[in-house]
Amino acid sequence: MTKQVQQLDRVIIRFAGDSGDGMQLTGDRFTQETASFGNDLSTWPNFPAEIRAPAGTLPGVSSFQLHFADHDILTPGDAPNVLVAMNPAALKANLADLPRGADLIINTDEFTKRNLAKVGYEVSPLDDDSLDAYHVHAVRLTSLTVGALADFDISKKDAERAKNMFALGLLSWLYHRPTEATVGFLEQKFAKKPDIMKANIAAFQAGWNYGETTEDFSVSYEIKPADQPAGLYRNITGNTALSYGLIAAGVQSGLPLFLGSYPITPASDILHELSKHKRFGVRTFQAEDEIAAVGAALGASFGGSLGITTTSGPGIALKGETIGLGVATELPLLVINVQRAGPSTGLPTKTEQADLLQALFGRNGEAPVPVVAPQSPSDCFDAAIEAARIAIKYRTPVMLLSDGYLANGSEPWRLPDVESLPGISPSFAEAVEGEEFQPFKRDPETRARPWAVPGTPDLEHRIGGLEKADGTGNISYDADNHDLMVRLRQAKIDGIASDIPPLVVDDPPGPDGSTAKVLVLGWGSTYGAITAAVRRVRRDGGQVAQTHLRHLNPFPANIAEVLRSYDKVIVPEINLGQLALLLRGRFLVDVISYNRVRGLPFKSEELAGVIQDVIDSE
């Protein structure tokens, strides 16, 4: 039959089901096809901490949200236009997020009395008026899939497992997504199980055909490719981008890369990715615990490699003593913290920004380290290179603060010109004839001490956590020397402020040429939601400025000037106000702290309301 095709400028789709229903795979495949089509996109995977959470329960719901458009977008979207619910738990867990008029595609086969009772439904929502506000498409996804695979020599259980591919085929038809790459993916994924491969491909094609022939879907939708600068693009997650940035830093510096890591959610993918790239001089070591991992990484730096360790907040707590050793020995070390909701084990698969104060002060003694934070999944690439540059140039551990939202989320990434990447020079120490080597004689510009690789003739020196004498590096218990060394280490970190870009404020003039009185200042992964919120406010006639911090220690040199240029400064954070505390204490500016710690990213509509309220109060 001939069906109407409607043009849209954007859409937000959420796939939801049990953690065993393949929602992450389904969402990822839909994303890859959308990326290859040329839409701008942003994704938000959301899943339980358990590998196989209790089936049919609310805690066991896994979801994948994708926002794609024909224009520049910054977030996975506040509320889905389409929800694919594979069972009652998926419906109940996500229904509150749907706006009126949203499309609901429901797998009715799973709405049994037993499954309804598991989530507290006394009456099926399909049989009362609770879904009247939505466009409901009741589809027997499971039985349609089993029926489509009746001629395949596979078990009923295996046939039922392919229902996610049926759903993917249906949504691919509904939004005119390409299909060739998904077929190729299935051929590769199940190459050793040809019957399963053919069945999944058949289920995918059956879903497409169902959309084409059923009367339940009379309209399909087109979202044109986004107008983006010319170049070669790929879809990339934050953890993958960060891994590539580390490899690029190794190549640009000419240093071997050594990763000492202990697996922990949501940082483990960096270990997995880097282990694939030995041809770039990458060595990966999965240690028996967090302490061994960071110790091995610091040892690698002492030996002349770029030492890296990856973890999340609980791991940082264990690594603290060795990071302090890196501060004392003044060796380059990259410490990557992919933050998650805490404290303790907390919510391992949920996002948070609550490790900022830990990054700055979570060590004994005066142990300052630079702190860098990426703002988007693709920005993790550049942030990794910047963190490596600082660590190598200033001979110091550097903390990079990503988070679960950035790590697992994805967006299009324009591959950079390799020639444009910044050069990084490790400048190892060399013996000077007639001069005694001074391991703590500092560079007059950077205050960095020499990096002396073990085994280099005439560069013998002491190493360890005991305080060293200025210049000679001999063990020293002298009070004045300790005071001097503490101040020198702090001055070295403070001096980095002259080597980072000034804070740039986006503050377009109003119709009368005036500038804003309200500034929104963020850091890390809040960038997308803040920027989308600022755009909303400006579209509605509000005047607001925006800036975002990449360097959190030291701050950019002009930050005090920026803060004092506005009557009100709003600081949204996914914590209880850690950056706000620092800004108030250091610059005596009474910033307005806006905080949420729900394990979820901010919604741009929510932030826009906060910004507008502050503007109105002016």
Side-chain angles (χ1 to χ4, degrees), residues 465-503:
L466 289 172
E467 185 63 282
K468 306 297 187 296
D470 181 36
T472 67
N474 295 328
I475 294 172
S476 173
Y477 295 95
D478 180 76
D480 290 338
N481 176 79
H482 177 57
D483 184 271
L484 174 65
M485 293 296 279
V486 167
R487 294 178 187 276
L488 284 173
R489 288 189 288 261
Q490 184 64 57
K492 179 176 71 171
I493 304 306
D494 292 341
I496 297 171
S498 64
D499 192 26
I500 60 178
L503 200 56

Side-chain angles (χ1 to χ4, degrees), residues 245-260 274 277-284 296-309 332-334 388 392 424 426 428 451 453:
L246 295 173
I247 294 169
V251 172
Q252 293 301 101
S253 64
L255 296 175
L257 235 62
F258 179 91
L259 174 67
L274 285 178
H277 299 288
K278 296 178 177 62
R279 65 187 183 281
F280 289 109
V282 179
R283 292 183 178 88
T284 52
L298 185 61
S301 289
F302 176 56
S305 295
L306 178 54
I308 306 162
T309 191
L333 175 69
L334 289 187
I392 292 168
I424 304 174
F428 291 114
W451 190 0
V453 177

Side-chain angles (χ1 to χ4, degrees), residues 237-273:
T237 65
N239 274 347
T240 302
L242 207 156
S243 301
Y244 290 175
L246 295 173
I247 294 169
V251 172
Q252 293 301 101
S253 64
L255 296 175
L257 235 62
F258 179 91
L259 174 67
S261 183
Y262 180 76
I264 183 172
T265 301
S268 300
D269 285 341
I270 303 171
L271 170 62
H272 302 158
E273 184 62 39

Side-chain angles (χ1 to χ4, degrees), residues 121-164:
Y121 278 129
E122 295 182 4
V123 178
S124 172
L126 298 172
D127 299 330
D128 59 22
D129 59 359
S130 60
L131 303 180
D132 287 354
Y134 313 104
H135 298 298
V136 178
H137 303 274
V139 182
R140 297 178 297 109
L141 285 172
T142 304
S143 56
L144 285 170
T145 304
V146 172
L149 305 182
D151 294 335
F152 287 81
D153 187 19
I154 59 173
S155 67
K156 183 181 178 183
K157 185 176 181 180
D158 284 335
E160 290 178 348
R161 283 177 177 169
K163 63 182 179 289
N164 65 323

Side-chain angles (χ1 to χ4, degrees), residues 4 71 90 126 135 152 212 285 373 385 394 474 521 596 604:
Q4 179 184 353
H71 57 276
L126 298 172
H135 298 298
F152 287 81
E212 183 76 23
F285 167 56
I385 296 175
Y394 292 91
N474 295 328
L521 184 150
R596 288 287 185 269
S604 58

Side-chain angles (χ1 to χ4, degrees), residues 10 32 34 44 87 123 156 201 231 241 270 279 339 404 422 431 499 505 509 516 543 552 580 585 594:
R10 68 186 186 95
Q32 297 303 326
T34 298
W44 175 36
N87 60 21
V123 178
K156 183 181 178 183
I201 293 173
I270 303 171
R279 65 187 183 281
Q339 301 166 94
D499 192 26
V505 180
Q543 202 165 353
L552 294 152
Y594 182 73

